[in-house]
Amino acid sequence: LDDREPLVRNAVIEALSNLRYRPAVARFCERLRQDPDFVVRSSAAEALGELRAEEALGSLAEAVTFDPASPVRGCAAQALGLIGRDEVLEALDTQGSRERDLCVLAEIHGARARLGANGGVGGIILCVREADEQQALHLMGVLEDLLARNTPPGLIAHWGEVFGALSDLAARHAIVRPHVAKVEGMAERQAARS
């Protein structure tokens, strides 16, 4: 984790995360707070979320609020949602009210939806309605992740509204049509399990 090369630091974080190596949590927090490379900081945030590292809540809340790189803020928001503690809602709400990057905002709303917060799913729908083509592809990833891991009940309960927004998005941006079909299939399987 101290290698000069960002690619090496990133690979170590991913390997330790894949091994579910919890003793590395403190070092991941350090990388999230201090690494000069935003890709390494993003990977550290993802790893902390994958490990459900409650001891990292402070570092993640700080990253979602203050990191200058939008990918890091987005990964930190997703990690906070995966860890699933209500006390992070304040940080998510604060950043959500001032965030200007639509992709980060979608991750914030996804985390809020995972935590059962009012407006989480509605926020995702608003992001879908405002997305340009590049943002649309990112939003498909957010929705796929929400449907694959810790699916918020509110997402399935409001699926008609979500799918309506996705249909409009697919009409505006043909590139997302296969992704919309995949997300729809995932939602149908989730609804059948409920």
Side-chain angles (χ1 to χ4, degrees):
L1 289 173
D2 294 323
D3 196 275
R4 288 181 302 130
E5 292 297 320
L7 289 174
V8 173
R9 294 192 307 272
N10 192 55
V12 170
I13 290 170
E14 289 180 5
L16 292 173
S17 176
N18 288 340
L19 292 170
R20 320 251 350 121
Y21 189 70
R22 291 200 55 81
V25 166
R27 294 297 309 276
F28 292 166
C29 288
E30 177 185 304
R31 291 292 96 204
L32 175 60
R33 288 189 312 270
Q34 299 173 1
D35 202 281
D37 189 276
F38 80 90
V39 174
V40 174
R41 294 193 313 274
S42 297
S43 291
E46 287 178 3
L48 292 166
E50 289 296 324
L51 293 172
R52 308 302 194 267
E54 291 184 17
E55 60 268 44
L57 289 174
S59 296
L60 289 163
E62 184 178 309
V64 80
T65 305
F66 298 113
D67 199 282
S70 57
V72 178
R73 293 193 310 276
C75 290
Q78 181 187 58
L80 289 170
L82 287 170
I83 294 169
R85 297 290 299 265
D86 289 341
E87 63 259 24
V88 302
L89 279 172
E90 184 177 340
L92 291 169
D93 290 343
T94 299
Q95 186 59 23
S97 68
R98 65 180 179 209
E99 182 62 56
R100 297 296 164 242
D101 185 302
L102 190 73
C103 295
V104 176
L105 195 55
E107 295 285 6
I108 289 170
H109 288 304
R112 292 180 75 254
R114 272 198 174 109
L115 294 168
N118 289 334
V121 174
I124 293 170
I125 292 169
L126 289 175
C127 289
V128 169
R129 290 194 173 127
E130 295 177 15
D132 63 24
E133 189 171 84
Q134 175 104 18
Q135 294 163 332
L137 290 171
H138 183 84
L139 288 169
M140 292 298 97
V142 170
L143 285 167
E144 287 176 23
D145 184 68
L146 285 170
L147 289 164
R149 303 186 295 174
N150 299 3
T151 303
L155 186 61
I156 300 303
H158 294 94
W159 188 252
E161 295 171 68
V162 175
F163 189 69
L166 288 174
S167 296
D168 293 344
L169 183 69
R172 291 192 325 265
H173 307 295
I175 195 166
V176 300
R177 288 181 188 143
H179 300 281
V180 170
K182 178 181 179 182
V183 165
E184 175 66 6
M186 293 173 75
E188 287 174 1
R189 287 188 292 282
Q190 282 287 348
R193 283 186 234 152
S194 301

